[in-house]
Amino acid sequence: MPHITTTTIIAVAFVLLAIGAVIGVGLLIADMVMPLVQSATHGESLRDRFSERFARLRKRHDDEDDDDEDADDLEESTAALLSMLPGAPVVVDESDEVVRASPAAYRLGVVDDDVIVEPRIAQAVRTVREQGGKTMFELTTMTPQRFLHMAGADDDAQENAESADAHATPVAVSRPNWLRVTVGRISERFVIVLLDDVSERVRFAQVRDDFIANVSEQLVKPSAELQRLAASLERAGLKDARIAQDARNVRRTIAYIDHMVKDLLLLIKAQEQVTPTDGNRLNVLSEARAAAEVAQPLAQERGQRIAVSGSDELVVHGESGQIRAAIDKLIENALEYSPDGAMVSVDVKPDRAGRHAVVRVIDRGTGIPLGEQQRIFERFYRGANQNEHTADGVGLGLAIVKHVALTHQGSVHVWSRPGQGSTFTLVLPLDPTQAD
């Protein structure tokens, strides 16, 4: 057994005294602080207070987890619903943020940057969220410019901007979208907007009405002229000059009907897609010159000129008759809406990327109002600015151009301002071997 000295015993005694002093001071402080703590906690102990606080934090965490799960469930159910709904559905949360939207909703000009930008729909969402129920209405929107890009159009716009008035900046034409809108609340947080795009039905109705108004009227004319000629021949004593005039009117109307039937047949042919082959490679400038030759007699009648220029190296795949007819229609259109003695320019160049042939037909005629430009490529549509040379038209020329462009995987674009003339641009993809 080790020897314990007096010094060791004294040291241990001091340590025990020190521990006792610390415990005493701690008890004294506790006696002083506890009344204050109990007063602040309304008599609850610190342990109870900490336990309660911990329980609240745990409950909040559990509630947040439950909310997240509910939100996820809602998103899953909403996604399932959206996948079954026709049209272009949009879901908006309580902060007016779009949480789900069909791509068509952006193209239709309703949603942009996760926000509903159409004021009437935005107001309907707020009203339905506050009052419940649903609301239905019809609305017309415009397609945003970023969805209207066409190959070759940017070059055309810039060149026209350089030559046009500074206040007449060329822009792509946006077609209207006719929508049937239904807005309803699906929960406390979410409102759904259903967009039914009925644009094609409306456009079909417009084409039908234009056909009835224009074509049927023109088809009646030959019958009336023939009846007039027959009456002249039946009556005795009429001068030969009168009979000759009636005969000329019959010949003119029959020629008009023949022209219309040819346009209808050409429009039907232009519905078939053109497949590139080794046998349908065409020189674009040659086709433009041939089209100008066809239109030359019309120009000579009014002392007008047709100037064709451009690159002789551009080759596309296509049907010669269709492409030539499309350029011819653009030239005829330019001549008919230009004054006597005017010049129409036909320019053939590649686009800046070197992948498309761009045929521009430029006139300095009356121009086309911006409000009519969205419809001029529709079948049987005729604008308000008709003259004595265009009064008998039925509105098929530009429709033929559009369909020829589409069947050749190309596009057609217009820049026009009243009093400044028009530039029609036919864009066709180059032969891939040449484009590369």
Side-chain angles (χ1 to χ4, degrees):
M1 182 176 181
H3 178 70
I4 300 176
T5 64
T6 304
T7 304
T8 302
I9 295 174
I10 295 174
V12 171
F14 273 107
V15 170
L16 292 175
L17 289 174
I19 293 174
V22 170
I23 292 174
V25 172
L27 292 174
L28 179 61
I29 294 175
D31 289 339
M32 297 174 60
V33 172
M34 284 305 295
L36 297 177
V37 173
Q38 290 179 353
S39 175
T41 60
H42 305 284
E44 297 179 3
S45 66
L46 286 176
R47 179 177 179 180
D48 293 339
R49 172 63 65 165
F50 285 130
S51 298
E52 180 185 357
R53 182 60 178 168
F54 178 79
R56 289 181 179 178
L57 291 175
R58 179 62 181 269
K59 184 177 183 301
R60 180 180 299 177
H61 179 72
D62 293 341
D63 290 342
E64 291 177 354
D65 289 343
D66 292 339
D67 291 341
D68 291 340
E69 291 178 0
D70 292 341
D72 292 340
D73 292 341
L74 180 59
E75 290 180 2
E76 290 176 2
S77 62
T78 302
L81 176 64
L82 294 180
S83 65
M84 295 185 292
L85 290 176
V90 180
V91 178
V92 185
D93 65 12
E94 70 276 10
S95 60
D96 287 336
E97 182 178 356
V98 174
V99 296
R100 290 293 177 92
S102 166
Y106 292 85
R107 178 182 56 81
L108 294 172
V110 173
V111 177
D112 186 31
D113 196 21
D114 295 334
V115 176
I116 291 182
V117 294
E118 174 54 49
R120 187 174 178 185
I121 297 179
Q123 180 58 47
V125 168
R126 291 189 289 269
T127 301
V128 167
R129 181 187 296 116
E130 296 172 359
Q131 302 177 5
K134 71 175 182 178
T135 183
M136 303 174 65
F137 53 90
E138 295 184 353
L139 185 69
T140 302
T141 64
M142 302 300 291
T143 301
Q145 291 292 321
R146 67 176 181 276
F147 294 103
L148 302 176
H149 174 74
M150 291 182 291
D154 293 341
D155 295 347
D156 182 54
Q158 181 168 346
E159 291 189 10
N160 281 290
E162 294 172 354
S163 60
D165 179 64
H167 299 288
T169 304
V171 295
V173 178
S174 174
R175 299 183 70 184
N177 307 299
W178 286 273
L179 308 178
R180 290 177 180 172
V181 183
T182 303
V183 182
R185 190 172 66 184
I186 57 177
S187 71
E188 293 297 327
R189 294 181 56 194
F190 296 102
V191 174
I192 189 169
V193 180
L194 300 178
L195 305 174
D196 182 14
D197 185 3
V198 297
S199 300
E200 290 305 318
R201 278 175 275 176
V202 173
R203 293 188 183 107
F204 176 81
Q206 290 178 339
V207 170
R208 178 197 60 203
D209 295 342
D210 292 337
F211 178 85
I212 294 173
N214 297 327
V215 179
S216 61
E217 177 185 351
Q218 300 301 332
L219 290 174
V220 171
K221 287 184 178 180
S223 176
E225 296 290 353
L226 286 171
Q227 290 179 6
R228 189 177 295 110
L229 176 60
S232 298
L233 294 174
E234 288 177 350
R235 289 194 297 266
L238 290 179
K239 296 182 180 180
D240 292 342
R242 173 63 183 274
I243 296 176
Q245 180 60 44
D246 289 341
R248 282 193 294 271
N249 291 339
V250 170
R251 179 172 57 85
R252 178 179 57 81
T253 55
I254 290 177
Y256 170 78
I257 292 298
D258 181 63
H259 185 270
M260 184 178 65
V261 170
K262 289 180 179 178
D263 279 356
L264 286 170
L265 293 175
L266 183 58
L267 186 62
I268 293 173
K269 292 179 181 179
Q271 307 296 316
E272 301 178 2
Q273 289 291 328
V274 175
T275 303
T277 65
D278 292 337
N280 61 10
R281 299 176 79 251
L282 304 173
N283 182 283
V284 182
L285 186 59
S286 296
E287 298 299 322
R289 287 170 176 163
E293 287 295 325
V294 175
Q296 194 62 40
L298 177 62
Q300 291 176 348
E301 290 179 5
R302 302 176 56 192
Q304 297 170 325
R305 295 173 295 160
I306 304 174
V308 182
S309 62
S311 174
D312 196 22
E313 301 176 351
L314 303 180
V315 176
V316 299
H317 288 278
E319 207 280 318
S320 178
Q322 293 186 23
I323 292 180
R324 192 173 300 181
I327 300 175
D328 174 54
K329 293 298 181 185
L330 291 179
I331 296 175
E332 285 185 2
N333 191 70
L335 293 172
E336 290 176 343
Y337 287 95
S338 295
D340 294 349
M343 184 178 72
V344 170
S345 301
V346 182
D347 184 43
V348 179
K349 290 182 180 179
D351 66 355
R352 292 182 179 178
R355 297 186 178 276
H356 295 83
V358 180
V359 181
R360 295 187 180 90
V361 178
I362 306 168
D363 69 66
R364 295 152 188 85
T366 56
I368 306 169
L370 188 61
E372 293 185 0
Q373 293 179 28
Q374 62 194 16
R375 295 198 61 196
I376 59 176
F377 294 103
E378 296 178 5
R379 287 168 288 183
F380 309 114
Y381 176 77
R382 288 167 52 74
N385 60 337
Q386 305 302 317
N387 55 47
E388 58 179 334
H389 303 289
T390 63
D392 291 333
V394 292
L396 285 177
L398 293 179
I400 291 173
V401 176
K402 181 189 72 173
H403 283 282
V404 169
L406 293 177
T407 56
H408 287 77
Q409 290 80 46
S411 61
V412 62
H413 177 72
V414 61
W415 177 94
S416 186
R417 291 293 183 274
Q420 298 183 25
S422 304
T423 298
F424 283 86
T425 305
L426 177 63
V427 182
L428 301 171
L430 289 172
D431 177 14
T433 60
Q434 185 181 32
D436 293 340

